[in-house]
Structures are given as C-alpha cells and as structure tokens.
Amino acid sequence: MRTTANSLTTVRNLGILAHVDAGKTTVTERILYTTGATYKRGEVHDGTTVTDFDSQERDRGITIFAAAVSCDWDGHRINLIDTPGHVDFADEVERSLRVLDGAIAVFDAVAGVEPQSESVWRQADRHGVPRIAFVNKLDRAGADLDRAVDSIRERLHPTPLVVQLPIGAEDGFTGVVDLVRMRALCWSGNGERTETPVSEALLTTAQERRRQLAEAVAELDPTALEEYCDTGTLTAEALAAALRTVTRSGAGLVVLCGSAYRNRGIEPLLDAAVAYLPAPTELPPVRGTVDGAEQERPADPAAPFAALVFKVNSTATGRLTFVRVYSGTIRKGETVWDAATGRTERVSRILRVQADRHEEVAQAVAGDIVAVIGVKAARPGATLTVPGAPLVLEPPSTAEPVVSVAVEARRGTDTDRLATALARLVEEDPSLKVRTDPETGQTLLSGMGELHLEVAVEKIRRDLGLEVGVGRPQVAYRETVVRGVGGLVYRHVKQDGGAGQFAHLVLDVAASEEVEGFEFASTVTGGRVPQEYVRAVEAGCRDALVEGPLGGHPVTGLRVVLTDGATHPKDSSELAFRTAGRLALREALRRCTMAVLEPVVEVTVSVPEDAVGGVLGDLAARRGRILGQVGRAGTAVLTAIVPLAELFGYASRLRGRTQGRGTFTTRPAGYAPAPAGLGR
C-alpha cells in the first residue's frame, strides 16, 4: 500500500529508451543501485543485471523483454521500464510507451544518434511522451558531448537544452558542472559524489553556457522570457520551472551527461527525472469509449477502476498480467471485467514487480504499474475495468510480421506440446503470428526479424525442453498494382432456392500514391447503390486483398472506386454485395499489371577503415543500395538499403570479413519492387 509520501504527485512512470549498446540497461542498474533498490551494481558483461534477468538476455548481452522495476528517490516513487534497443523488439517498446508518462532517452557520447535511437524517438513522438536525454559513455575515447547534441538536433529535431558541462574528457572525465545551480559535481573512483564551487578554469565557460541555456529557455517559455527581459538572466528556481514546462510540452529537451558504467552522473539524472518529467496527475485524463461514445477517467483513486494490459508473462508459478492503472483502485480478491473478451475474472494477487522478483501488495491505485495474478485470458492491449463501469482504452498498435520460419516438433509425440507452446508465445507477444501453410501443411511462425524468431524458438527449447526443427527464414512479400483497369463490370447472380443473391458493380482499380495501404471510394449517384451496400462492397474488396494473383501474397498500394451498380428489389443484400466486391476485385487484379514487393531495411554497418572495400562489395552483392559513408575515430560507418531476404546470415559473414570487428544494425524501410520471378 502506498504511503502518504508516495501520493500520486510523487509518482513517476518512466521508460529507458535507446539504441542497442547505448547503455540503457547499465543506466537502469545504476539507478537501482543509487536509490538503494539493489546493494550491488549489476553488470551486463557479467550477466548480473536485475532487468536483463532472462537467460537469453544474459547470454546475448542485450535487452529482449521490457522489464519493470521500482525504486524511491527524494520522496518519489519511480516505476521504471527498461525497454529493448534492438529493432526486432520494437513492438515491445511500443507497448511500453503506451503506458509511460515520461522517458529517459540514452545516447552514446561517441556515436550520437544511432538508427534505433531515431526509431524509438519517433515511437515516443507518436505517443506524446515527454523526454529528457542522457548522453552516456563520456569516459570513452572519442566521446564528445557537443557533437552528440548536434546529432540530436539534426536527426531528431528537438531544441536541446544542455544543463551540464563535462569536467574532464574521455579517461579524465570526473564530473559535471550543474548549469542550473552553478555548482560542480564530481565523483571519485568508488562513485562517491562531492559538491564544490565551479573551478576558476571552468568558470568563464560555465557562465557562457548558462547564459546560452537561459536564452534558449526564454525563447520557449513566456514566463521565463518576461523575467529574462527584466533582469537579463534567470534564477535557478525560474530556470528549473521553465525547464519543467518546456519538457512537458515537448518544446525543449533537457540534456544531461555522464558515465553510467563508472556511476557518474546518475544522481543528477534522477533529480532531473523527478523535477522535469510529469506525475500521473499532471497528464490529461485517460480517454476511452463506452458503447461508441468517448469518455474520460481522471487519475483518481476514488474514480471507477480502469487499467490497460501491456504485457503478459507465463512463469513457472503462474500467469503474470502487467497492467498500468489509469484510474480507481483494485484490491486483491476483487473482480474485473475484460473488455476484449467480455468476461469477468478475479484478481487473486497483486504484485509490485522488481524484474523477476515480486513483492505482494494489498491494492493498486491510479498511477501504479503492477502485475496481477488470476486474470487468465487478458492479452496485451486489453482493458480491465470494474463490471459496473465499463470502458475500452485504445490498445497499442501491433506491427505486421515481416519474416517467417517453418517450425515442427522433431518427435511426433510433441506436436500437441509445440502447438500449446506457440499459442502461449503469441499470447505473450502479439507481434508474433502462427499460421498453417495451406499448401504444405507446415506450421509457420512469423515475427519482426531473424533474431526475434530465433529468440522465440529458443524460448520453447529452454522453457519446455522441446526439440524443435526450424526451416530457413522466409520474408513476407506483398503484391501491388502497377497499372490498373477501369470500368470493370461484374454481375453476381445466385439462385438456388429461396432468397437469391444479386449485385451489379462497376469498379475502377488503380495504383495508390501510398506504397502501402488500401483506399476505397464511391462515386455512385442517384441512390443506385444504397450506402449500406457500398460499405459491404468495401468489406468484400478488403477480403480480396488477402491473396494476390501473382503468388498469393497480400495486396497493398491500390485504390478502388465504385463508379456504378444496380440492385434487385428482392435478391440484393449486404451479403450479395460483399461477395460481389470480393469476386469483382479478384477479377480486376487478374487483369491489372501487378508487381511483387519485398521488405527492405536500412542497414548501418560500422567497420574498420581497412575493411570498407570488402564490406561494400558484399553489400552490393546482396542487392544493397549504398546511401552514404562517414568516418568516425578510425571506423567507417556505412548506410545502405538492402532487401531483408539478403540479410539472413549476414552477421557471421560480416564477422568473417572484418575479423570480428564489424557490427551492424537495421531498421525497417518499407517495401520495394522485387526482381522478376521473386516471390512467385
């Protein structure tokens, strides 16, 4: 139960966002250590971290599953979610961002903004999550705060507000100057912090940086501008208040710096998170729908209960359902209503989560992030409410899978166990899909990338001890219209006793300006086709998009216009027009000039300069299109657009060409036309 000190105004629900290897898990570990939540500093390379507790995360040295932890700092309760940084697990980030009130974006002081940094930043933009930035690894060779801030400004387009000045550089980095309060904070080798006046050597630079900070803040905040015009400066209190305002509005980005590995800069980061990022009560009431009508629920423990499920995890001790409570209070033993399934379930236990450890609590109130036991059917995105006051909250979006593998149990007796395991995987991770190939009868597991599927299959092997055979990955092709057809007439007549079916349609089919998606319009006049039948035609056309004429792939990037039609007074119905829409579009697609599209990704490869030629040749052989090349501290960074199908096994090839010194990251870049014959 929360104490008075931990009222709603002193709660912060925050996420840690970053590119893989930027150090976000280390930042999380240092936050837990600094706040006293752990007594020993966890290390990624030693496999001793709290949040990367899964055996695969420790083996691979990366975050795969979002982990929730809680800690206390300066009278505030901080609920933290450490999110994955690899592109294959972007859907896990999406679900986490949906329930967060703020975020700390971590950047590498050497690399600056990296591809996945940009992707998670855009995800946070879509959700309107206020952020502060932490430029990490200032103790590394080549670290440069100003260059990292420039990359933030150029690639992410916020207004950076740098509130610290580093003391020392690279190996000599020992602390920071707090520009808001004009004090020096230094850390010793064992991580102990001391506060001193700013040294004479740094005072002039610090004063100039503070003046620049005050000017930048005054341009963004009217209240600060008024004081700045009157006095020519801003007091520490006025500057802090303005930084809070512009952070919450998204007008500016507070930037701090440090070295998480050496435990330098964590206390100021916690102070900034508490000072500038919002509490649940400072956000607009959550919006949902009731019978199609929009309704708001305030972040009030006395309001009707409403919570969003954002993660499900099956453990040896039971099913954990992670929820963000937006309003009301839930106590163990009470009944909740699942808006997605329409069923009521009993909450037997409520747990405050510390990664893989749990502390049982008697209740959870608005603003809490907890796990509940006893809810058996709720999936990520479901809304839980009290039965007497239903509400449906908007679920997080789920990306469409782009890679598939065939999976089968090596022993015939394990087939049913494999089916159960796959169903549980899909329940925990909505970005995974399972289907049966109608032609081969194989079970296909689809996901966001090769690593995503590799982790899923390994989870089955480790958790259940199943021997699973896996086929070569296959990408998800699409089909699109290159040249359409106009005036296609289709007449659907069916009479086999009783009420018949009649629908007459005239369709125009053309390529859409959008490469992905489907547009439908009607220009029928005079009531020749009633509006409810027009909607049925659109539904039928969407049915036809499931399989294209070239290779049975989903169809995208087309526009369909219903230009004319006719009805029968007795035999016309919504079913008849839906059937006609499906069959008419199938016929139209057979007459159109079609093309197969394949998924492509933007690849960023970091290699030693002496290996650039071989890597460029290999990318060209993989049908890659080079976008650019920059040098960075003896390393060349190559950017290219490459078909996803050509990247299977690329990690081992790159290691071989660079003697293990090359690394690469990817992010989705949409679809592009495939070579003739591919995907057919």
Side-chain angles (χ1 to χ4, degrees):
M1 186 179 297
R2 178 173 293 141
T3 63
T4 304
N6 284 327
S7 63
L8 279 180
T9 56
T10 59
V11 173
R12 300 292 184 271
N13 292 315
L14 310 178
I16 308 291
L17 310 175
H19 182 89
V20 65
D21 287 335
K24 63 191 175 320
T25 297
T26 303
V27 169
T28 306
E29 291 298 321
R30 296 303 183 264
I31 287 174
L32 294 177
Y33 177 74
T34 302
T35 58
T38 57
Y39 66 91
K40 184 180 179 182
R41 291 181 290 187
E43 304 294 354
V44 173
H45 55 272
D46 291 336
T48 58
T49 56
V50 172
T51 53
D52 284 357
F53 58 85
D54 186 89
S55 58
Q56 290 199 70
E57 294 179 307
R58 291 183 170 176
D59 289 349
R60 299 172 189 272
I62 62 171
T63 301
I64 296 172
F65 310 107
V69 292
S70 296
C71 56
D72 294 296
W73 180 256
D74 192 25
H76 292 72
R77 162 71 66 173
I78 300 177
N79 297 317
L80 270 180
I81 296 182
D82 179 21
T83 63
H86 196 284
V87 64
D88 282 16
F89 308 103
D91 216 57
E92 189 92 356
V93 180
E94 184 75 17
R95 292 193 296 275
S96 299
L97 282 169
R98 175 63 178 81
V99 299
L100 294 174
D101 301 332
I104 300 170
V106 180
F107 300 95
D108 188 317
V110 178
V113 175
E114 298 173 272
Q116 191 60 13
S117 308
E118 196 168 346
S119 296
V120 296
W121 188 270
R122 302 302 174 215
Q123 286 178 284
D125 279 345
R126 289 199 302 272
H127 289 279
V129 176
R131 280 143 281 173
I132 61 176
F134 182 70
V135 179
N136 191 25
K137 303 187 179 183
L138 274 180
D139 58 320
R140 285 183 59 196
D144 188 325
L145 175 62
D146 290 339
R147 189 174 62 214
V149 171
D150 287 342
S151 73
I152 291 172
R153 181 185 294 107
E154 292 165 6
R155 297 189 61 175
L156 306 181
H157 311 299
T159 301
L161 303 170
V162 184
V163 297
Q164 292 176 341
L165 174 68
I167 299 175
E170 300 181 352
D171 273 347
F173 171 70
T174 58
V176 297
V177 174
D178 176 0
L179 298 177
V180 177
R181 293 172 177 81
M182 288 302 288
R183 56 181 180 168
L185 304 174
C186 295
W187 287 267
S188 62
N190 60 8
E192 291 185 5
R193 184 182 69 165
T194 57
E195 181 179 330
T196 62
V198 181
S199 67
E200 289 294 330
L202 285 174
L203 186 59
T204 302
T205 304
Q207 289 173 338
E208 175 60 20
R209 291 292 182 99
R210 193 190 194 280
R211 184 189 64 77
Q212 294 172 1
L213 173 64
E215 283 184 358
V217 170
E219 290 179 2
L220 299 172
D221 182 61
T223 304
L225 178 61
E226 185 176 339
E227 179 174 327
Y228 188 80
C229 291
D230 290 342
T231 65
T233 186
L234 293 175
T235 64
E237 292 73 19
L239 184 54
L243 288 170
R244 178 172 176 78
T245 300
V246 298
T247 298
R248 289 182 55 193
S249 68
L253 175 70
V254 171
V255 180
L256 301 99
C257 60
S259 168
Y261 179 69
R262 297 185 184 273
N263 210 32
R264 294 171 184 171
I266 300 302
E267 295 96 330
L269 177 62
L270 285 164
D271 290 337
V274 165
Y276 305 137
L277 294 173
T281 52
E282 296 168 320
L283 295 171
V286 67
R287 293 174 178 268
T289 57
V290 179
D291 297 328
E294 193 171 271
Q295 190 179 102
E296 292 184 346
R297 290 273 173 91
D300 182 356
F305 173 73
L308 185 72
V309 177
F310 68 95
K311 183 178 175 66
V312 171
N313 188 19
S314 297
T315 68
T317 57
R319 185 182 195 266
L320 293 180
T321 303
F322 292 78
V323 300
R324 160 68 192 268
V325 183
Y326 281 100
S327 69
T329 303
I330 184 67
R331 299 171 181 84
K332 65 178 182 178
E334 292 186 341
T335 299
V336 295
W337 181 71
D338 181 351
T341 62
R343 58 186 286 181
T344 57
E345 301 196 70
R346 181 176 174 273
V347 175
S348 58
R349 297 170 66 196
I350 302 173
L351 307 175
R352 192 174 302 286
V353 181
Q354 197 78 351
D356 59 340
R357 299 190 299 273
H358 315 116
E359 171 196 350
E360 188 163 350
V361 294
Q363 67 179 30
V365 303
D368 269 333
I369 293 178
V370 295
V372 298
I373 295 178
V375 178
K376 297 180 176 62
R379 298 207 171 183
T383 303
L384 301 181
T385 63
V386 288
L391 185 75
V392 180
L393 302 176
E394 182 184 356
S397 60
T398 302
E400 285 298 314
V402 294
V403 181
S404 301
V405 291
V407 294
E408 62 178 11
R410 293 198 182 278
R411 295 192 298 267
T413 54
D414 288 338
T415 301
D416 290 342
R417 291 180 64 202
L418 176 60
T420 302
L422 290 172
R424 193 174 79 176
L425 274 180
V426 173
E427 182 181 77
E428 294 181 4
D429 185 352
S431 62
L432 289 170
K433 299 286 189 295
V434 175
R435 64 184 178 89
T436 301
D437 189 308
E439 295 182 3
T440 64
Q442 290 178 306
T443 300
L444 300 179
L445 177 64
S446 304
M448 303 307 298
E450 194 175 7
L451 179 60
H452 189 202
L453 296 179
E454 187 180 317
V455 166
V457 172
E458 187 64 21
K459 187 175 177 64
I460 294 175
R461 289 174 176 152
R462 293 192 183 193
D463 293 357
L464 300 177
L466 279 174
E467 289 296 323
V468 181
V470 181
R472 189 180 186 278
Q474 300 290 327
V475 301
Y477 293 103
R478 297 285 186 268
E479 296 180 26
T480 192
V481 173
V482 176
R483 187 171 63 249
V485 296
L488 180 120
V489 179
Y490 191 86
R491 187 179 179 89
H492 174 64
V493 180
K494 185 177 180 182
Q495 193 73 47
D496 52 4
Q501 293 186 24
F502 177 89
H504 179 85
L505 307 176
V506 182
L507 298 180
D508 288 348
V509 179
S512 171
E513 293 183 2
E514 297 290 332
V515 177
E516 299 181 44
F518 167 69
E519 300 176 59
F520 181 87
S522 171
T523 58
V524 179
T525 59
R528 292 176 59 81
V529 179
Q531 190 59 40
E532 61 269 24
Y533 292 171
V534 172
R535 289 194 294 268
V537 173
E538 180 179 359
C541 289
R542 291 187 182 277
D543 294 340
L545 300 178
V546 176
E547 292 185 5
L550 296 182
H553 310 297
V555 181
T556 186
L558 73 160
R559 174 179 171 83
V560 177
V561 180
L562 176 64
T563 60
D564 201 0
T567 62
H568 187 278
K570 291 184 178 180
D571 293 342
S572 289
S573 63
E574 290 187 29
L575 175 61
F577 272 85
R578 180 165 185 161
T579 303
R582 182 179 75 253
L583 298 177
L585 185 53
R586 283 183 180 174
E587 175 64 26
L589 292 176
R590 283 192 288 268
R591 300 187 187 184
C592 290
T593 302
M594 304 287 292
V596 175
L597 301 176
E598 61 178 341
V600 295
V601 294
E602 181 183 303
V603 183
T604 301
V605 189
S606 298
V607 297
E609 291 181 341
D610 59 3
V612 169
V615 172
L616 285 173
D618 187 46
L619 288 173
R622 294 172 185 270
R623 298 191 282 125
R625 177 166 55 88
I626 306 300
L627 300 180
Q629 174 182 339
V630 296
R632 184 187 295 154
T635 299
V637 180
L638 314 174
T639 307
I641 297 293
V642 185
L644 180 61
E646 300 290 346
L647 285 179
F648 297 139
Y650 182 60
S652 58
R653 176 64 67 88
L654 181 64
R655 284 195 297 269
R657 286 187 174 273
T658 61
Q659 289 78 49
R661 296 175 294 167
T663 61
F664 79 101
T665 58
T666 64
R667 64 170 178 167
Y671 282 80
L678 198 63
R680 304 191 184 206

